[in-house]
Amino acid sequence: YVTDLPSFSLPPQIDKICKVANKPLVVTYTGLIQACLDAGNVQHGACIFNHMHKFCCPNLVTCNIMLKAYLDHGMFEEAKDLFQKMVDDANHVSNKEDYKDRVIPDIYTFNAMLDACVTGQQWDDFEFVYKQMLRFGHHFNAKRHLRMIMYACKEGKVFFYSCHPTSCLFACKEGKVFPFSPFFSLLRCGTR
């Protein structure tokens, strides 16, 4: 036997696979996806993501990782499809057992999509995502969302906003604001 084997290092993806190999299947698949994304190959990550559905359901972390990867690589339509699937899944949850097979979007999911919509000036999608965020019980965050709303208004786009899920709804269209709050009576939406 040779005792002095030459030393070499394994690619970082192998280390990641070894670390998650004894974990539940969803964690292993998520690790494989993340390894692909870390290597800069979103197509392989997407392939693994699609393949994993044959063996296990992705969890929220897996979906958010894939959503962010799509957005970071300019694949807005793929991200939008994944987001829509998550919203549709949530619409079909009727009991506790349904959560095993369905993924419900969280605030990270909504914020990632909202950022991408603003960056790409996808205003109809922005409005849809924002309304869904409120519908799912996530609240307006002035520090995070006000900048987006102001930008949408600056672009003269229709936008519905709520500072609280059950009160004060505003519409911004063609330079008009319909205020229901003293603060937002100051808001002026410009048009180009």
Side-chain angles (χ1 to χ4, degrees), residues 34 37-38 40-43 63-80 108 111-113 115-117 119:
Q34 189 65 60
L37 300 177
D38 290 347
N41 197 326
V42 70
Q43 286 78 17
C63 289
N64 279 341
I65 287 171
M66 208 59 237
L67 182 85
K68 186 72 170 130
Y70 286 145
L71 294 173
D72 288 347
H73 289 84
M75 301 169 74
F76 183 78
E77 289 303 315
E78 289 82 352
K80 189 170 133 179
Y108 177 87
N111 285 336
M113 285 300 295
D115 285 337
C117 291
T119 300

Side-chain angles (χ1 to χ4, degrees), residues 3 32 35 108 143 168 176:
T3 57
L32 289 170
Y108 177 87
K143 192 173 188 177
C168 31
K176 297 177 184 172

Side-chain angles (χ1 to χ4, degrees), residues 14-77:
I14 302 298
D15 288 337
K16 289 183 180 181
I17 292 168
C18 291
K19 287 178 186 174
V20 298
N22 61 350
K23 303 288 184 185
L25 217 47
V26 68
V27 177
T28 302
Y29 272 104
T30 303
L32 289 170
I33 292 167
Q34 189 65 60
C36 290
L37 300 177
D38 290 347
N41 197 326
V42 70
Q43 286 78 17
H44 287 168
C47 182
I48 292 170
F49 179 73
N50 293 329
H51 183 74
M52 82 182 286
H53 290 83
K54 295 177 185 175
F55 302 99
C56 64
C57 293
N59 62 17
L60 180 61
V61 172
T62 310
C63 289
N64 279 341
I65 287 171
M66 208 59 237
L67 182 85
K68 186 72 170 130
Y70 286 145
L71 294 173
D72 288 347
H73 289 84
M75 301 169 74
F76 183 78
E77 289 303 315

Side-chain angles (χ1 to χ4, degrees), residues 71 76 109-130 144-155 157-159 192:
L71 294 173
F76 183 78
T109 312
F110 289 109
N111 285 336
M113 285 300 295
L114 289 170
D115 285 337
C117 291
V118 169
T119 300
Q121 296 186 356
Q122 303 287 331
W123 302 117
D124 291 338
D125 294 322
F126 179 77
E127 184 175 353
F128 173 77
V129 172
Y130 194 84
R144 178 135 183 111
H145 301 129
L146 187 58
R147 164 189 62 81
M148 297 175 187
I149 292 166
M150 297 297 286
Y151 187 64
C153 287
K154 179 181 162 203
E155 294 296 312
K157 305 304 177 188
V158 174
F159 182 72
R192 287 187 159 189

Side-chain angles (χ1 to χ4, degrees), residues 72-100:
D72 288 347
H73 289 84
M75 301 169 74
F76 183 78
E77 289 303 315
E78 289 82 352
K80 189 170 133 179
D81 290 344
L82 177 56
F83 175 76
Q84 186 62 55
K85 183 181 180 336
M86 293 169 75
V87 169
D88 291 345
D89 275 357
N91 292 333
H92 294 97
V93 171
S94 59
N95 60 53
K96 202 172 186 177
E97 283 295 308
D98 291 339
Y99 285 101
K100 288 195 307 190

